[in-house]
């Protein structure tokens, strides 16, 4: 089950030092409590960040958030942001939600580079489920809805050149006959340790598809997966 963490960036007064100028003890006191999560779980980290006069896009904002990994075995990463979305607030800040998936034991931390503020931190422990599998980063699953609330999995076993040239599992129907020209469909991608769905809305336009909304930003920590998705969807 997803859990929500609502955190608010510290206010910066003209006469007071910025968060980045505070000493380590003060930063630690302002940081969210170290939580404990199992591998293959997810959490939504929601924050309000002050970027000054110009509010960045979600993709730009994510580039200013540092991911710190301390894996127990000393190799690889401990978590990944799998999607993110948000909007400006009336106060001129950016309300940002980041969907975090835990991948391996160790610790994980998100830090706002502009201020040094710790946005989220967690100890990540092995999954209690003995059958839990480690995230390999090799499996991407795609589901497409039929416009009536039913979803169908795309069969990628034949290495199709695009999603429209693929078939649907269980029916054998080509996606290009299943997805009408000009129709909008919800497309779901699964590529994470938690197995969480990442959903976008896309429109069929000839031999390609187009996203009709620029949010959420999908798989910002996995550019190779994004490149594969863009190739298949022909974005």
């Amino acid at each position: 089950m997803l859990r929500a963490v609502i955190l608010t960036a510290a206010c910066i007064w003209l006469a007071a030092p910025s968060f980045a100028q505070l000493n380590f003890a003060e930063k630690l006191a302002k940081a969210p409590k170290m939580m404990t999560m199992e591998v293959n779980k997810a959490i939504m980290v929601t924050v309000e960040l002050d970027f000054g006069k110009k509010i960045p896009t979600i993709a730009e904002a994510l580039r200013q958030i540092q991911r710190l990994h301390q894996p127990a075995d000393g190799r690889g990463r401990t978590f990944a942001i799998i999607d993110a979305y948000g909007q400006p607030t009336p106060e001129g800040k950016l309300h940002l939600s980041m969907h975090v998936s835990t991948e391996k034991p160790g610790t994980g931390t998100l830090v706002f580079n502009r201020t040094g503020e710790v946005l989220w931190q967690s100890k990540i422990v092995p999954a209690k489920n003995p059958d839990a599998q480690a995230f390999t980063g090799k499996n991407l699953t795609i589901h497409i809805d039929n416009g009536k609330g039913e979803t169908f999995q795309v069969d990628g076993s034949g290495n199709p050149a695009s999603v429209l040239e693929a078939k649907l599992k269980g029916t054998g129907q080509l996606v290009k006959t299943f997805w009408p020209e000009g129709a909008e469909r919800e497309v779901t991608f699964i590529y994470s340790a938690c197995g969480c769905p990442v959903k976008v809305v896309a429109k069929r336009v000839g031999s390609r598809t187009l996203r009709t909304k620029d949010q959420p930003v999908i798989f910002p920590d996995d550019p190779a997966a994004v490149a594969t998705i863009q190739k298949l969807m022909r974005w």
Side-chain angles (χ1 to χ4, degrees):
M1 179 180 295
L2 299 182
R3 299 169 56 194
V5 176
I6 308 297
L7 306 169
T8 304
C11 294
I12 300 177
W13 301 95
L14 292 177
S18 70
F19 196 94
Q21 294 172 322
L22 298 177
N23 63 39
F24 179 77
E26 289 175 301
K27 287 184 180 181
L28 193 61
K30 289 179 177 288
K33 182 180 178 181
M34 174 74 78
M35 61 192 314
T36 299
M37 295 179 64
E38 291 181 33
V39 168
N40 299 349
K41 299 297 183 181
I43 188 170
M44 191 66 76
V45 179
T46 300
V47 294
E48 287 189 358
L49 302 176
D50 189 346
F51 286 89
K53 293 182 179 180
K54 184 179 179 181
I55 299 177
T57 65
I58 300 302
E60 291 170 341
L62 289 171
R63 288 194 285 271
Q64 297 194 45
I65 296 176
Q66 188 175 6
R67 288 75 144 165
L68 300 179
H69 306 272
Q70 290 186 310
D73 63 3
R75 300 190 303 272
R77 69 188 189 189
T78 56
F79 69 94
I81 298 174
I82 60 175
D83 68 348
Y85 56 89
Q87 65 282 321
T89 70
E91 296 76 25
K93 296 182 180 181
L94 179 66
H95 184 87
L96 175 65
S97 293
M98 297 169 286
H99 196 175
V100 174
S101 172
T102 57
E103 294 185 349
K104 64 186 302 184
T107 61
T109 308
L110 293 174
V111 178
F112 184 30
N113 281 340
R114 181 180 173 89
T115 63
E117 180 182 4
V118 176
L119 306 177
W120 167 81
Q121 57 180 345
S122 180
K123 179 180 179 182
I124 302 169
V125 299
K128 294 179 181 178
N129 180 2
D131 298 324
Q133 297 182 350
F135 178 61
T136 63
K138 296 180 180 179
N139 297 317
L140 169 66
T141 304
I142 302 176
H143 298 259
I144 304 173
D145 88 309
N146 63 356
K148 301 177 182 178
E150 297 177 281
T151 60
F152 296 83
Q153 185 174 339
V154 176
D155 184 354
S157 60
N159 294 319
S162 76
V163 71
L164 294 174
E165 298 299 325
K167 295 180 180 180
L168 298 176
K169 277 193 173 182
T171 69
Q173 183 180 10
L174 285 170
V175 174
K176 64 183 177 183
T177 61
F178 168 80
W179 191 340
E181 173 69 21
E184 286 191 355
R185 291 290 184 263
E186 184 178 76
V187 184
T188 301
F189 304 102
I190 299 176
Y191 183 82
S192 61
C194 64
C196 304
V198 171
K199 300 176 182 290
V200 304
V201 177
K203 181 179 181 180
R204 164 85 183 276
V205 182
S207 62
R208 61 183 299 185
T209 72
L210 296 174
R211 286 191 65 174
T212 57
K213 299 178 181 178
D214 60 1
Q215 293 192 42
V217 171
I218 64 173
F219 307 113
D221 292 350
D222 290 288
V226 173
T228 297
I229 290 170
Q230 290 175 335
K231 179 181 178 181
L232 289 171
M233 302 298 293
R234 293 189 174 174
W235 289 342

